[in-house]
Amino acid sequence: MPAEGAAEAVWAASDPYATALRTGRGPLYLRRTDGWLLPLEVERWCAGADDVDRAVLDRCEGAVLDVGCGPGRLVAELAAQGRTVLGVDVSEAAVTRTITVGGQALRRSVFDPLPGEGRWGTVLLMDGNIGIGGDPAILLHRMAQLLAPGGLLIAETAPLDVEEHADVQVVAHGREAAGAPFPWVRIGTPALLRLAERAAGWRAEAQWTAGDRRFVALRTRTTSSSAEPPKSTAVISSQRAR
């Protein structure tokens, strides 16, 4: 597994995360090393797709790859519509739940070889998954490899104009964190659009707000699988978690 995927083992082995997905309940947080907590919306993730989700899915084109699919609500919704869709997640509990609710999913890192590379019509990075690996430039490069020419990336962004890089751990309220810290990033719409403008092969398609959630759609100009991946500006010892 490449360096970008090393932290997946940390996330996948996190007992609080697996327990939360199996039970469908939190509370669950990402905790920074300074003690700050980012709540994770376990109950929403484990419920069916809501109106905001369905509006996002209406924008999807062609076959859809849901990266960091979690318990599978989006995969199941698209499958119920007769769409071609696959979820990818490093958590065994997430993959199991996705299959249980009627979707197809693989337990695999997004940085590992995946089916249909270069042919997906849409890739989803929902529920904060733009934070995967702690370096959105590297993640955008990987997304371009997965998408067909002119393919669509839909990412859910942070509600503020922020680009915050931090090492975090998964923790349930009142319990010790499980596993070693791993890199994560919260990035808002303006910062992501600036990054995409600097990155080769992307153009902004749309941005919108629904309730308290923010989204960005980017479209590939060309495939970039042969391009040199961007150099990380951070010192990252492990780079991947849902």
Side-chain angles (χ1 to χ4, degrees):
M1 183 180 294
E4 288 82 359
E8 290 180 289
V10 176
W11 183 280
S14 169
D15 290 338
Y17 180 65
T19 299
L21 291 195
R22 283 195 293 266
T23 63
R25 298 191 305 274
L28 196 69
Y29 305 89
L30 292 183
R31 185 175 70 189
R32 288 191 321 215
T33 53
D34 64 2
W36 181 86
L37 296 174
L38 174 66
L40 301 179
E41 298 182 76
V42 175
E43 288 83 359
R44 180 172 65 80
W45 297 348
C46 290
D50 59 21
D51 289 342
V52 175
D53 294 329
R54 284 188 286 271
V56 170
L57 299 183
D58 286 344
R59 294 173 179 260
C60 292
E61 303 169 357
V64 180
L65 181 68
D66 185 3
V67 173
C69 66
R73 75 185 190 283
L74 305 179
V75 178
E77 178 69 21
L78 286 169
Q81 296 175 14
R83 303 286 297 276
T84 299
V85 58
L86 177 68
V88 176
D89 204 288
V90 294
S91 165
E92 182 177 1
V95 170
T96 297
R97 184 155 182 150
T98 298
I99 294 170
T100 299
V101 297
Q104 292 187 334
L106 293 177
R107 186 184 181 190
R108 196 170 299 180
S109 166
V110 68
F111 297 105
D112 287 341
L114 292 172
E117 293 206 14
R119 299 194 300 274
W120 293 98
T122 304
V123 174
L124 297 174
L125 286 171
M126 297 282 280
D127 303 327
N129 284 330
I130 190 66
I132 284 171
D135 191 322
I138 289 177
L139 188 60
L140 281 181
H141 175 79
R142 180 57 175 149
M143 298 300 98
Q145 292 177 324
L146 295 171
L147 284 163
L152 192 65
L153 170 65
I154 301 178
E156 185 168 355
T157 57
L160 303 172
D161 184 6
V162 62
E163 185 174 351
E164 178 186 75
H165 299 253
D167 288 336
V168 298
Q169 292 173 286
V170 180
V171 58
H173 184 64
R175 300 181 185 177
E176 292 298 318
F182 56 88
W184 194 255
V185 64
R186 289 198 308 149
I187 186 167
T189 293
L192 181 57
L193 291 175
R194 290 192 295 267
L195 179 62
E197 185 177 358
R198 296 194 301 268
W202 292 101
R203 64 177 175 86
E205 177 84 2
Q207 57 179 296
W208 69 98
T209 299
D212 59 354
R213 298 169 66 187
R214 312 289 195 274
F215 303 92
V216 170
L218 303 174
R219 193 174 293 278
T220 57
R221 299 178 189 273
T222 61
T223 55
S224 59
S225 58
S226 61
E228 184 71 18
K231 299 296 188 296
S232 173
T233 58
V235 177
I236 297 177
S237 60
S238 59
Q239 287 197 47
R240 171 67 171 92
R242 188 187 179 282

